[in-house]
Amino acid sequence: MSYALALLLGLVAGVLAGLFGVGGGILFVPVLVALGLDQHDATGTSLLAILPTVAAGTWSQMRHGNVRWRPALVLGLAAVVAAQGGVFLAETLPGHVLRKLFAVLLVAVGLQIAWRSRRN
C-alpha cells in the first residue's frame, strides 16, 4: 500500500470517526482487506492505527468536558484484558472465518444503527 493511500485512508477514517463516533476498526479493516491485506494483518494494523485517533479524540472531547475518567478507566482495563483473549481466538481461526465473523459484526452494527435511527 502506498503512503499516499494510507494517509488518505487515515484522514477519511479520522473525519468519519470524529463525525459519527464509530470505531476506526469498522472503517479501517474492510478497506485494508480490500487493499490486499489478509484479515489478521488488517486487524492488527487497524488496532495500531487507531491509537493516534483515540488520543486526538480524547484530548478534544476532554476540553469540552465530555470524558468521564472513572468509567473510561474501568472499560479500558477490561478491554485490555479481554483483547488478549480476542487475539488468542483470532490467531486460532483461519482468515476466511475471521473475515466472515467481522462481516457479521458489521451487519449487526448497521442493523443497530438503522433500528435506533427509525425511533428518532
Side-chain angles (χ1 to χ4, degrees):
M1 177 172 28
S2 74
Y3 289 114
L5 187 56
L7 180 62
L8 180 62
L9 172 61
L11 289 171
V12 170
V15 168
L16 292 174
L19 182 63
F20 297 118
V22 297
I26 287 178
L27 302 170
F28 282 133
V29 173
V31 173
L32 290 171
V33 169
L35 292 173
L37 270 67
D38 72 21
Q39 187 68 36
H40 291 96
D41 290 342
T43 302
T45 301
S46 171
L47 288 169
L48 181 58
I50 290 168
L51 290 177
T53 305
V54 168
T58 301
W59 179 76
S60 178
Q61 291 296 330
M62 183 182 64
R63 290 184 20 223
H64 295 289
N66 296 332
V67 177
R68 303 295 175 254
W69 289 103
R70 187 173 301 228
L73 181 61
V74 171
L75 286 170
L77 290 174
V80 166
V81 172
Q84 295 306 307
V87 168
F88 175 77
L89 180 60
E91 289 297 320
T92 63
L93 296 172
H96 70 280
V97 172
L98 191 58
R99 189 174 321 110
K100 288 176 184 173
L101 290 172
F102 190 78
V104 169
L105 172 68
L106 291 178
V107 169
V109 169
L111 289 172
Q112 179 191 32
I113 291 169
W115 179 258
R116 287 185 177 183
S117 69
R118 78 172 187 81
R119 294 188 294 175
N120 292 330

